[in-house]
Amino acid sequence: MWNPEGSSDAHQRRRLSTAATRDGVVAVIQQRGADAVPELVEALDADDWQVRAGAVFALSLLGGEARDVLPKLRTVAEKESHESVRDAVAWAIDSID
């Protein structure tokens, strides 16, 4: 799983649910850009809905740089059980497309 700080996966999942972490995600995306996409795509399959939502948010920040991920996001939108993640995916698709 995406782990920019070298912390454990469990720790990383907890961090993605906080506002401070979302700010950190923004900083990492600004630094890594499209290089972060593989880890973000992996996070779309996380058990924790907040991790999935964080990955969707991060992908949306990449805009056109994440265009190759649109098919995966559309699949997530169809299969996602959590309403907040579905809403985030719809917004991300609009931001990327």
Side-chain angles (χ1 to χ4, degrees):
M1 173 166 290
W2 180 43
N3 197 354
E5 297 177 353
S7 59
S8 71
D9 286 347
H11 177 73
Q12 189 65 20
R13 283 191 290 271
R14 283 191 302 276
R15 286 180 42 81
L16 278 173
S17 67
T18 67
T21 297
R22 286 188 296 273
D23 292 344
V25 167
V26 171
V28 169
I29 296 304
Q30 288 171 336
Q31 292 171 358
R32 292 189 56 205
D35 290 342
V37 169
E39 291 88 358
L40 295 171
V41 169
E42 183 180 333
L44 293 174
D45 295 322
D47 292 335
D48 186 324
W49 74 267
Q50 292 175 321
V51 173
R52 296 190 306 274
V56 170
F57 172 71
L59 287 165
S60 73
L61 295 175
L62 291 171
E65 290 184 89
R67 186 161 279 126
D68 291 345
V69 179
L70 286 171
K72 173 70 174 177
L73 288 174
R74 289 185 177 107
T75 299
V76 170
E78 292 172 6
K79 297 180 178 184
E80 178 57 51
S81 61
H82 199 281
E83 182 179 5
S84 294
V85 179
R86 286 193 310 269
D87 291 345
V89 169
W91 184 77
I93 289 171
D94 287 343
S95 296
I96 295 168
D97 200 11

